[in-house]
Amino acid sequence: MGRVNAPPAAERPGRPGRTGWRDAAVTAAVGGAVVAALFRYNLGGASAATGQFGRTWEEYLLVNVAALLGPALLTVLVVLRERAGSWGLRPAAPGAARIAWTLYGLMLPVLIIAASQPEFHHLYPLQPQAADSWRHFVYHETTYAFYMLCWEFFFRGFLLSGLRRGIGFTAANVAQAAAFCVLHLGKPAPEVAGSFVAGLALGWLAARARSFLPGFAVHAGVSTTFDVLAIHARGGGIL
């Protein structure tokens, strides 16, 4: 049999060492600063029930996308001098699509029940105009999907990949899911609690797939499905 080459040191999960702890510390510092800044900005003294957190949709997206992508990419490419592929930006491992579809299927009953509740179908879609015309609906779902991509890169790519080098997968997964949950504060309580569980599941999927892209597909699919169900449940809109 031929010799199987070991993965590069940067990709070996759960092996603390000088480099691993350094990477984890840098990740924690940058990630913590981003989460704190976005938490303050996104809430901004307003409830998520405003639909756009008291700001225009475009401003909200621009600030969040810049915060989620900029510091993390600079850290990976400039500070740590690594390729983004080592941090989850690469094609998924075989079998990941099947797991992603399974997770989506498990979420469907939850989405159907939640969308029937007024606290949800009066909040979603976050851009209210999306319920009134197909043009606004497509615009909202397209821009929101890109926003979800940035979230998955930050939480299941940057945070999970960096933290696990120093503290191992389990602790890193809990940490990124907790941070993910923090940025859901201000939304209905069931969604806040569910975001932690979803964060754990998406982190597990990212580890299995060696990529955050399947998690993005699940996240975006769930979001769009929920918007459709919410519009239908509320009535009087395009659905």
Side-chain angles (χ1 to χ4, degrees):
M1 291 181 61
R3 180 180 176 182
V4 179
N5 293 326
E11 297 183 21
R12 296 173 192 166
R15 293 192 179 186
R18 289 185 180 179
T19 300
W21 283 112
R22 180 207 64 182
D23 293 353
V26 171
T27 300
V30 174
V34 169
V35 170
L38 284 181
F39 176 76
R40 182 171 182 176
Y41 171 82
N42 287 347
L43 289 182
S47 169
T50 61
Q52 296 173 357
F53 301 86
R55 296 172 172 86
T56 67
W57 181 246
E58 288 73 21
E59 179 193 335
Y60 175 76
L61 286 178
L62 180 62
V63 171
N64 275 263
V65 166
L68 293 168
L69 289 183
L73 282 174
L74 284 174
T75 299
V76 171
L77 301 177
V78 179
V79 178
L80 301 179
R81 297 186 179 182
E82 294 186 18
R83 295 181 179 179
S86 299
W87 296 70
L89 184 58
R90 58 183 168 192
R98 182 175 65 252
I99 300 174
W101 276 111
T102 300
L103 291 177
Y104 176 79
L106 291 173
M107 280 297 300
L108 269 180
V110 178
L111 299 178
I112 293 171
I113 294 171
S116 67
Q117 305 303 309
E119 63 181 323
F120 286 107
H121 68 235
H122 287 308
L123 173 60
Y124 289 96
L126 289 177
Q127 193 177 22
Q129 306 95 303
D132 300 327
S133 77
W134 284 107
R135 179 172 66 87
H136 282 102
F137 179 81
V138 171
Y139 171 71
H140 173 75
E141 298 305 330
T142 301
T143 54
Y144 204 37
F146 179 68
Y147 170 71
M148 296 289 180
L149 178 65
C150 298
W151 270 58
E152 289 306 314
F153 164 72
F154 181 78
F155 289 102
R156 263 66 69 176
F158 178 68
L159 278 186
L160 182 61
S161 298
L163 292 177
R164 73 185 295 189
R165 296 179 178 190
I167 61 177
F169 170 72
T170 301
N173 198 30
V174 171
Q176 66 81 19
F180 183 63
C181 180
V182 165
L183 289 189
H184 281 77
L185 293 174
K187 293 189 175 183
E191 182 175 354
V192 175
S195 69
F196 179 72
V197 178
L200 291 175
L202 291 172
W204 173 79
L205 173 57
R208 288 289 301 268
R210 302 185 68 196
S211 168
F212 63 81
L213 295 178
F216 157 66
V218 174
H219 201 167
V222 164
S223 176
T224 299
T225 300
F226 193 62
D227 281 348
V228 169
L229 292 171
I231 294 170
H232 178 74
R234 184 167 67 227
I238 56 177
L239 299 171

